[in-house]
Amino acid sequence: MIVLGVAGGIAAYKACELLRLFTESGYDVRVVPTPSALRFVGAPTWAALSGHPVHTDVWSDVHEVPHVRLGQSADLVVVAPATADLLARAATGRADDLLAATLLTARCPVLYAPAMHTEMWEHPATQANVATLRSRGAVVLDPAAGRLTGADSGPGRLPEPAEIFAAARTVLDRATRGLDHGSRAFSLAGGLALDLAGRHVVVSAGGTREPLDPVRFLGNRSSGRQGYAVARAALARGAEVTLVAANVELPDPAGAKVVRVRTAAEMRDAVREAAATADAVVMVAAVADFRPATTSATKIKKTGSDPEPIALVRNPDILAELAHDRPRPGQVVVGFAAETDDVLANGRAKLAAKGADLLVVNEVGEGRGFGTADNAATLLGADGSAVDVPLGSKERLADAIWDAVAARLPR
Ligand code: CTP
């Protein structure tokens, strides 16, 4: 059972969409709005969409002890939107309404999706509350930047409901797998064991495009899905994530800082800038090894009958440069390799040539790899290790990568 907590902000209307995403996927959801949330969206809406009665205080159905039962029996609590006030109450352990009491009694993972004006989000009080909640194992997504209520814009927007839903599924999946393995994936403070909390990680995704002229480019088929799954998995484990995305047409993962680039040169600048403060860099992007030696400012025209050959020059190898320079001591550098044959031998050779700590060797072809939902891979370590990740979702592979990275991070 999932508890959807809704605090009193205008973004409460977006939580209706989030609720539908849960219920349409078969989840049983109890909605717990705060009293002020009901000023934005009324109880009948929540009751009709969830199929359950809705209360805001601890005085209804007292014989069922709801302030304890809901938290105890939840598999996940999602608070969306989480306002500055709700975060403050949760951080200080208040129990002044049903949602706050549920957060105190929850023994499951808790995911907060904050939404508020930029000033409130950036205020040291809110930041301290967020840090407190994160230190206890809660996943607090950074809000998206963009248009806020009224004429204002900046960081503070509720991430898109579909992305909060994806984050919630990742958190649930990880918690469930922790229990499958007999270990407690979350702590008594109602939080996950977030092994990447306090870490900054950089993930590159998608495929670069190297322009020939204003309308043509040399590119590749990378969809960005594996890189986005790697970013989401890091967010669900508590990391601050910079996602450098090359030509990806996917929605921003909730909580990630997304930097959009087009070419290998732009990707190099963005990755290097973010890597200066990163604990780990995972280069999932398909970066063009070469680019046209010249880019025409105007559209190239057909001349005569024979096509002109295209002269190419080498692009910098971002992964090899990072692995060599190590902009931050102890940084873990991870590369990807797509191979069609001699997968392991080619992978070992590539790992050594790049100087990375880990190489995710991906067998492409046979319905695996580019553009597909599933992926299988072997994680090769510079220490000689090899971990097989059987064919499964890109999310599973992403989590296996972070397991390997977390084990290599300095304490
Ligand atoms: N990479 C990079 N910069 C480049 C090229 C690749 O950082 N200019 C990174 C990719 O993000 C990926 C890994 O290096 O992590 C892929 O290695 P690469 O040698 O480029 O793979 P292929 O192009 O498949 O190599 P080859 O054709 O030699 O097999």
Side-chain angles (χ1 to χ4, degrees):
M1 183 269 285
I2 291 176
V3 170
L4 173 60
V6 185
I10 183 68
Y13 79 91
K14 292 191 186 169
C16 300
E17 175 68 18
L18 178 61
L19 173 56
R20 281 191 71 90
L21 290 169
F22 277 119
T23 54
E24 281 170 11
S25 298
Y27 292 99
D28 183 24
V29 186
R30 307 299 155 98
V31 183
V32 184
T34 62
S36 44
L38 294 185
R39 298 174 77 113
F40 293 99
V41 179
T45 303
W46 302 119
L49 291 177
S50 68
H52 292 289
V54 166
H55 304 296
T56 60
D57 60 40
V58 296
W59 306 114
S60 313
D61 299 328
V62 174
H63 61 287
E64 290 177 2
V65 208
H67 73 290
V68 178
R69 281 296 168 270
L70 276 171
Q72 281 176 337
S73 47
D75 300 303
L76 173 72
V77 180
V78 182
V79 185
T83 56
D85 180 67
L86 186 280
L87 293 171
R89 290 193 291 130
T92 46
R94 299 286 300 258
D96 43 2
D97 61 20
L98 184 56
L99 177 54
T102 300
L103 287 165
L104 265 188
T105 52
R107 290 289 178 271
C108 60
V110 180
L111 173 69
Y112 294 90
M116 63 199 74
H117 263 72
T118 305
E119 292 82 354
M120 293 176 118
W121 171 250
E122 290 177 347
H123 194 284
T126 304
Q127 289 302 308
N129 291 330
V130 168
T132 299
L133 292 168
R134 284 179 174 156
S135 73
R136 292 183 192 141
V139 179
V140 186
L141 301 173
D142 279 346
R147 183 82 196 272
L148 305 170
T149 322
D152 297 343
S153 73
R157 263 174 79 88
L158 189 73
E160 288 309 310
E163 287 307 310
I164 301 173
F165 178 63
R169 293 252 288 223
T170 311
V171 168
L172 255 182
D173 192 38
R174 187 165 136 67
T176 315
R177 253 178 302 141
L179 293 178
D180 285 350
H181 294 130
S183 71
R184 283 181 71 88
F186 42 86
S187 68
L188 282 184
L192 286 164
L194 298 173
D195 51 1
L196 298 179
R199 308 282 193 178
H200 174 212
V201 303
V202 179
V203 179
S204 71
T208 64
R209 292 180 179 176
E210 311 300 320
L212 284 157
D213 69 12
V215 295
R216 304 183 183 94
F217 57 82
L218 301 180
N220 61 70
R221 291 184 197 279
S222 177
S223 66
R225 281 156 71 180
Q226 181 64 69
Y228 274 47
V230 170
R232 279 201 194 91
L235 288 159
R237 295 169 81 134
E240 176 197 343
V241 177
T242 303
L243 176 58
V244 182
N247 310 297
V248 180
E249 288 174 23
L250 295 171
D252 293 353
K257 179 182 177 212
V258 183
V259 183
R260 295 191 182 282
V261 298
R262 288 159 301 179
T263 63
E266 289 173 5
M267 172 158 282
R268 177 177 182 249
D269 290 347
V271 168
R272 285 185 73 90
E273 188 183 333
T277 57
D279 297 287
V281 182
V282 185
M283 286 294 299
V284 193
V287 185
D289 293 319
F290 303 97
R291 66 177 182 279
T294 55
T295 302
S296 169
T298 53
K299 192 167 165 239
I300 300 167
K301 292 288 189 190
K302 289 185 284 289
T303 49
S305 51
D306 290 331
E308 289 291 320
I310 298 169
L312 299 176
V313 292
R314 192 172 269 285
N315 272 330
D317 190 321
I318 306 166
L319 177 65
E321 276 184 5
L322 276 176
H324 179 263
D325 297 352
R326 302 281 167 164
R328 198 160 178 226
Q331 186 173 75
V332 179
V333 177
V334 185
F336 262 67
E339 304 288 346
T340 54
D341 57 305
D342 268 346
V343 177
L344 286 186
N346 283 336
R348 279 263 166 243
K350 194 168 286 184
L351 176 62
K354 302 267 185 183
D357 301 300
L358 274 169
L359 193 73
V360 184
V361 189
N362 209 314
E363 190 173 346
V364 289
E366 301 168 38
R368 299 163 175 197
F370 280 7
T372 61
D374 284 346
N375 226 341
T378 304
L379 310 186
L380 297 180
D383 52 7
S385 61
V387 176
D388 274 327
V389 184
L391 187 63
S393 68
K394 292 189 173 182
E395 285 69 28
R396 284 288 161 101
L397 175 56
D399 239 4
I401 294 167
W402 290 119
D403 287 344
V405 171
R408 285 167 171 79
L409 286 171
R411 304 267 132 225

